[in-house]
Every structure is written in C-alpha cells, then in structure tokens.
Amino acid sequence: MTNRTEGGTEYDPAALERTERRFFGELFDAVPRAVALAHGVQKADFGPLQATVTRDLPGVRTLNLLLGAEAADAAPEGFLEEAIDWAREQEASAFALLSPGFPGTEAAAATLAAAGFERSVNWMRFVRDGHPPRFKVAADVEVVALDASDTDSPFGTIAALGFGLPAWAASLLVPLPGLPAWRCYLALVDGEPQGCAAMLLDDEVAEFGVAATLEGGRRRGCQLALLGRRIEDAAAAGARTLFVETGERVPGRPSTSYGNILRAGFEEAYLCQGWSDARLSP
C-alpha cells in the first residue's frame, strides 16, 4: 500500500510500522541484563503486537509502548487485551499508538477505551526521500559518528539528560552504537559534545530517533546538523524512505523538534492516535 504526501513523496505505511517495531524492539533487546532486571525493562510479543515497558520510567511514552494494535487480529483475537494485562502486571503505564487506515484500527480503539485507556498525545510521522539536504547547518557544529569501540562516549548520558531522565537511564542506550543496523552520532559545539541522535537502517527505510540536546547546546543548530548528517548517511546506505516522528504540534506546546524536521525537508505523512492507560497514569 503506497501513499503520497502532499509534496509527492511516496511511502508505505506498513513498512514504516515494521521499521518502528524493529527500532524499539532492538533498542530493548540491547539493554544490559543487569539494568533490565533492576529497572523492570521488558519486551514481549502478543501475536502481531509488541509491548515494551520500563517499570521505573512510567511517564516516558517511548519506553512504555504498545505497537501493532491496529493489525486486523490484534483486538478481535484478544492479543491487545493480553498485552494490556501484561503491562499492568509489570506495573508499567503503557502508551498505545494506533496508525490510521489499518484493518484493526477502529477495533483497537474500542478495546483500549473499554480497558480504561484514554486519548493522549498524538504522534506525527514524517517522511522524505534521500535527496541531498538543502538547508544550511551551523558552521561551528561538528557531527561525529560513533561505533562499537566508543564504549565511553557520552551518547547515553546526553540522551538521558536531554530528555530529563535520571542518570541511570543512560545505560539503556549505551549498546546502541555497537548494533549492526544502527548509526549513532554526537554533535560537538566548540569541541564539546552537546547533542546526540541515532538512526536504524532497515532495508530501504531509515528511522531517525534518540535525538536530544544538552541545555548548553540548545539553539546552536545541533539537531539540524544531526538531521543533515543522517540524511546523507541514510541515502548513501541505500535508504529510499527516511522516517521520523514527534508529538503533534498543538498550541501552547513547544514545537522546536517539529520545526527542525520540516526545515530538514521532511513532510507530514500521517497522525497516529496516542492512548494512555488511565488506570496507571504516572
């Protein structure tokens, strides 16, 4: 099923869903076992649905996700209810994302509402093709790529601090630069690491994520520079569809990330419904 943005960029929503599931699945699989046991970091599959939870970070939606609930059999066959029950047993506050237009979207929404979930923050998904960046980046920002040998890099620490998470959360992300299909980066300002970002290369789709900036590096162009580098590297690796997401832009809510994504040549593709578990809201 191929769709087009208003600007004519083609994308396959089903392919984006598969890449999204792999993105968070591999992130959770890579968490060091000791960290996972200490903080309730778990992943489980229920039919077409993937559940990832982090007990000790209940308010972080990206670390407490139910993905795949819009599949045709997820709600009718009871997989969604099983995932909800499992997440609650783990003392996690799950956040479900429902993509529009899939066979099971309406049934999943009804099941979530009946189970005590409420509509929450929606996520906008953006796409672009691999054409070269046409935007300027700050001359004093240097972007460097990491690999498995960079075991002492501040990548995880910048992500944790940038997202306002406790210090231990940095350990969740330390393994990412060493994963085969992942690319991780730091943005340096005056030689000091101030921003981070990552992407997963999944055949012809590249998903961008884990983008954060320290307070001292904000408004310096770090994230735009990181977007530019990832666009170039994704295209060089053969990706045809570049994919990123952030919270829906609504009045009164900061939208710096949203603006940077549009400046980088991404286009709005579709809005996903967000559903939060009202029974265990943090």
Side-chain angles (χ1 to χ4, degrees):
M1 156 173 91
T2 301
N3 292 1
R4 288 178 181 269
T5 64
E6 291 186 3
T9 300
E10 294 186 349
Y11 64 93
D12 178 0
L16 301 188
E17 300 302 322
R18 288 192 297 270
T19 299
E20 173 93 327
R21 179 169 176 149
R22 180 181 174 187
F23 185 98
F24 286 100
E26 291 195 0
L27 189 157
F28 269 70
D29 285 341
V31 173
R33 179 170 174 75
V35 177
L37 290 173
H39 298 285
V41 181
Q42 298 188 67
K43 186 189 84 169
D45 293 323
F46 302 89
L49 196 148
Q50 175 178 282
T52 48
V53 299
T54 306
R55 182 198 61 227
D56 290 349
L57 292 174
V60 183
R61 297 182 181 91
T62 52
L63 297 178
N64 293 278
L65 276 177
L66 302 182
L67 298 175
E70 63 279 294
D73 59 344
E77 296 297 325
F79 295 121
L80 178 53
E81 289 183 340
E82 289 179 21
I84 293 170
D85 290 343
W86 175 81
R88 287 172 173 167
E89 289 171 2
Q90 313 315 311
E91 302 177 17
S93 182
F95 178 71
L97 275 180
L98 295 183
S99 296
F102 280 75
T105 300
E106 292 185 7
T111 298
L112 288 166
F117 278 63
E118 295 179 348
R119 288 295 303 272
S120 182
V121 177
N122 298 322
W123 288 10
M124 177 62 75
R125 289 187 172 157
F126 304 80
V127 295
R128 83 188 304 278
D129 60 22
H131 69 264
R134 298 167 183 164
F135 53 91
K136 293 182 179 180
V137 299
D140 60 346
V141 176
E142 177 188 3
V143 176
V144 297
L146 303 174
D147 58 34
S149 66
D150 295 306
T151 55
D152 60 347
S153 86
F155 177 86
T157 299
I158 291 174
L161 293 175
F163 292 132
L165 304 179
W168 68 261
S171 58
L172 299 173
L173 304 170
V174 167
L176 288 188
L179 299 184
W182 288 71
R183 303 290 184 272
C184 296
Y185 305 86
L186 294 177
L188 312 183
V189 179
D190 298 326
E192 293 296 323
Q194 295 289 342
C196 70
M199 71 174 171
L200 168 68
L201 297 169
D202 185 26
D203 294 327
E204 293 188 344
V205 177
E207 179 171 359
F208 293 8
V210 198
T213 309
L214 299 178
E215 182 63 35
R218 291 175 184 168
R219 296 170 294 279
R220 299 289 298 270
C222 290
Q223 287 304 322
L224 202 59
L226 287 162
L227 281 165
R229 175 62 181 272
R230 285 179 289 172
I231 290 168
E232 293 175 347
D233 288 358
R240 297 171 59 87
T241 302
L242 282 53
F243 158 41
V244 68
E245 59 193 351
T246 192
E248 178 185 13
R249 184 159 56 181
V250 297
R253 182 182 299 159
S255 58
T256 302
S257 296
Y258 207 107
N260 281 336
I261 290 168
L262 293 176
R263 285 180 63 191
F266 285 85
E267 298 180 81
E268 296 174 343
Y270 56 93
L271 194 66
C272 295
Q273 296 178 13
W275 290 78
S276 292
D277 190 348
R279 294 187 185 178
L280 293 173
S281 294

